[in-house]
Amino acid sequence: MALTMLNEFLIEDPNPPMLLYQVSKTAQLDTLNYQSCFMQGVFAHFPEILFIHRTYNPTGKVLYTFLVDGPRVQLEGHLARAVYFAIPAKEDAEGLAQMFQVFKKFNPAWERVCTILVDPHFLPLPTLAMEFPAAEVLLSAFHICKFLQGKFYQLSLEQPVERVLLSALQSTMCSATAGNLRKLYTLLSSCIPPARLPELHSHWLLNDRIWLAHRWRSRAESSRYFQGLEVTTRVLSQLFGTTPCVEQGMASLLRYMHQNAGDEASFSLGLTPQNSHAPLDVSPESHKVERLVEARIQHSLNAICTGPAAQLCLGELAVVQKSVHLISSGSEKVNIQILEDTHRVQPQPPASCSCYFHQAFHLPCRHILAMLSARHQVLQPDMLPAQWTAGCAASLDNILSSKWSETLDKHLAVALLTEEVGQLLQHCSQEEFERRYSTLRELADSWIGPYEQVQL
């Protein structure tokens, strides 16, 4: 009955997925391999890093979820990075080899897999190495974090010690530098009973090759990465890991994906607007329109701005023309990302942006120009400060010498650091807040001196 329901559900899909399953003599599901057309397309575009997660079912069956990973993947949403589901007959060499071979048969891009991230309990590594001979197999940062979390709880440590370890683990995972990993390793050595320390495999923290696959992320990106995977694995556990019937669990999982398929509409090479529900137009006509819009923006810059200002802004526009920009728009603000950290653009005149370039020069930056290009608009005079308008300045040197200074540079650096520290203080527990605030107080007093009270 469950298989009938599963098939009926899949028939409703306008783009029929690839579904292979085998039933045992007792009419129970023995093996299953599933991949939708969307999932196949995602893997074809991002095959370099493959993340494998396993979810256990009460019946003893294991669901293998393959997800794409790496710097190029910008998909948001639960299970948006999932590209393949498989339930092997058994978790032995033969069963897993068959599972990987079916995956490769339907995904020719498998030959471009460079790295495979697995959990610490993944034992059939020889099978994986045999099926993906060119790929490097590494432990994933997420699975190491979950492994250590579980060990901290199992050790029944004193509450203060447990809280310190969990806080240090979270901080280190979001900034996995060699120094931070070494500090966590030292902390574990001092807090964990020596007899129990081998259970934690703390030497993983000193294996730099593991962390190179994760270290490219910023602190904010790492936080979002871990939160996203936490939600994804929790959904898998709730829908498949708690249902006694494997078939019903898979039907629930596929129904969930069908109901939360918003990312499919916004995916085209991973580079479409996040809030758009139309496919990216890559026709020759669309390229012609883009070139026309960019030419009009260049003309408006030359017409409205002084020569030096136009030079600066045209340099920013060149970055936009060579980059991919992601835009998610709301009623009042627009988020712009050009293969770098996200910045907040205020489109209402005078347009503003949170990036360093705009804060320093108050000129239309690459993010504002990307917004204009996406909206098929040009620069308007009221989007520019008066001192940058045509006829108001003679040379770039004069403008820079009058508007830029080392003091302003330091002021911007302090403002950005203050904002970052403020975020760290806001998003923590009361106890953690008191500890961080006390540290800041000591730093301020030791640097400037208690004789001059500094307001934090």
Side-chain angles (χ1 to χ4, degrees):
M1 291 176 62
L3 288 174
T4 301
M5 177 181 65
L6 184 60
N7 278 319
E8 290 177 351
F9 172 72
L10 294 174
I11 290 174
E12 300 173 3
D13 195 325
N15 297 311
M18 182 275 292
L19 173 67
L20 298 175
Y21 63 82
Q22 180 175 332
V23 180
S24 66
K25 295 180 180 180
T26 59
Q28 299 298 314
L29 187 66
D30 194 33
T31 64
L32 180 140
N33 296 271
Y34 173 86
Q35 184 178 50
S36 69
C37 294
F38 169 70
M39 296 163 74
Q40 193 174 43
V42 172
F43 177 72
H45 286 112
F46 309 117
E48 293 84 6
I49 303 178
L50 200 58
F51 180 103
I52 299 179
H53 180 73
R54 298 180 299 166
T55 307
Y56 285 84
N57 184 270
T59 62
K61 286 292 187 180
V62 183
L63 172 65
Y64 278 71
T65 303
F66 294 29
L67 303 100
V68 289
D69 206 317
R72 296 201 305 126
V73 181
Q74 298 292 337
L75 294 173
E76 299 290 340
H78 308 156
L79 290 173
R81 298 191 294 114
V83 296
Y84 198 79
F85 292 122
I87 300 176
K90 293 181 179 179
E91 275 200 295
D92 55 11
E94 182 182 356
L96 292 177
Q98 184 180 24
M99 177 187 74
F100 291 132
Q101 288 164 11
V102 173
F103 171 79
K104 294 192 296 183
K105 181 177 181 180
F106 287 94
N107 295 276
W110 74 269
E111 295 181 344
R112 292 191 284 147
V113 175
C114 299
T115 306
I116 301 178
L117 304 176
V118 298
D119 64 83
H121 301 291
F122 195 95
L123 297 178
L125 295 179
T127 303
L128 197 57
M130 182 177 63
E131 295 297 334
F132 296 88
E136 181 181 19
V137 181
L138 298 172
L139 297 182
S140 79
F142 173 78
H143 284 123
I144 290 179
C145 180
K146 297 300 293 182
F147 174 84
L148 291 176
Q149 278 183 344
K151 286 298 181 181
F152 293 163
Y153 293 130
Q154 290 176 12
L155 291 172
S156 301
L157 303 169
E158 295 182 0
Q159 285 293 104
V161 176
E162 184 180 282
R163 283 196 297 267
V164 168
L165 290 177
L166 290 173
S167 177
L169 177 63
Q170 179 183 8
S171 178
T172 303
M173 292 299 106
C174 289
S175 182
T177 63
N180 288 342
L181 290 163
R182 169 65 66 174
K183 290 178 182 177
L184 180 59
Y185 176 86
T186 304
L187 182 64
L188 293 180
S189 301
S190 61
C191 293
I192 304 298
R196 305 295 301 273
L197 191 58
E199 300 177 22
L200 274 67
H201 297 277
S202 54
H203 61 276
W204 290 335
L205 299 174
L206 306 181
N207 185 340
D208 202 54
R209 188 64 197 95
I210 293 176
W211 305 102
L212 285 175
H214 170 68
R215 196 172 288 156
W216 58 268
R217 298 181 177 91
S218 66
R219 176 177 289 274
E221 288 171 334
S222 294
S223 179
R224 290 193 296 270
Y225 174 75
F226 281 107
Q227 290 175 2
L229 281 177
E230 182 70 34
V231 173
T232 297
T233 55
R234 191 175 303 169
V235 168
L236 292 170
S237 296
Q238 290 175 348
L239 298 179
F240 180 82
T242 60
T243 306
C245 179
V246 175
E247 297 86 353
Q248 289 180 352
M250 280 306 302
S252 299
L253 177 59
L254 298 180
R255 184 178 292 107
Y256 175 89
M257 293 192 67
H258 184 74
Q259 294 170 349
N260 295 272
D263 286 301
E264 294 189 21
S266 64
F267 172 77
S268 178
L269 304 182
L271 307 174
T272 59
Q274 290 176 332
N275 285 356
S276 169
H277 290 283
L280 183 65
D281 185 3
V282 293
S283 64
E285 187 65 27
S286 70
H287 289 307
K288 182 178 179 180
V289 172
E290 288 179 6
R291 288 194 297 270
L292 178 61
V293 169
E294 290 168 356
R296 291 176 59 199
I297 291 176
Q298 291 181 21
H299 178 75
S300 65
L301 286 170
N302 288 319
I304 297 173
C305 302
T306 63
Q311 293 175 37
L312 290 171
C313 294
L314 287 173
E316 289 288 285
L317 181 61
V319 176
V320 175
Q321 292 170 325
K322 295 178 181 179
S323 304
V324 175
H325 51 274
L326 304 176
I327 302 177
S328 61
S329 58
S331 58
E332 298 180 353
K333 294 185 177 180
V334 177
N335 290 330
I336 304 292
Q337 180 179 356
I338 307 180
L339 298 181
E340 60 182 8
D341 293 337
T342 301
H343 293 287
R344 185 64 58 85
V345 172
Q346 181 74 41
Q348 286 77 17
S352 64
C353 180
S354 61
C355 75
Y356 192 81
F357 178 90
H358 181 80
Q359 296 296 315
F361 300 111
H362 302 289
L363 281 171
C365 60
R366 64 190 70 176
H367 312 101
I368 293 175
L369 295 172
M371 176 196 69
L372 294 176
S373 177
R375 293 182 170 184
H376 293 184
Q377 296 175 349
V378 297
L379 185 72
Q380 300 298 327
D382 57 1
M383 299 177 70
L384 200 69
Q387 66 267 26
W388 285 111
T389 54
C392 289
S395 69
L396 181 60
D397 291 337
N398 291 338
I399 292 174
L400 292 181
S401 62
S402 63
K403 302 302 294 183
W404 183 256
S405 66
E406 185 178 357
T407 303
L408 177 59
D409 192 14
K410 290 181 178 179
H411 174 76
L412 287 172
V414 170
L416 292 172
L417 180 61
T418 302
E419 182 180 359
E420 179 68 19
V421 172
Q423 291 291 329
L424 291 174
L425 289 175
Q426 289 179 34
H427 300 91
C428 63
S429 64
Q430 181 65 30
E431 182 180 352
E432 184 69 12
F433 172 85
E434 295 295 340
R435 187 176 68 82
R436 292 178 179 178
Y437 183 86
S438 176
T439 302
L440 280 176
R441 177 78 276 154
E442 292 177 6
L443 287 172
D445 290 343
S446 62
W447 184 27
I448 301 174
Y451 50 85
E452 182 179 344
Q453 185 68 18
V454 179
Q455 181 179 358
L456 295 180

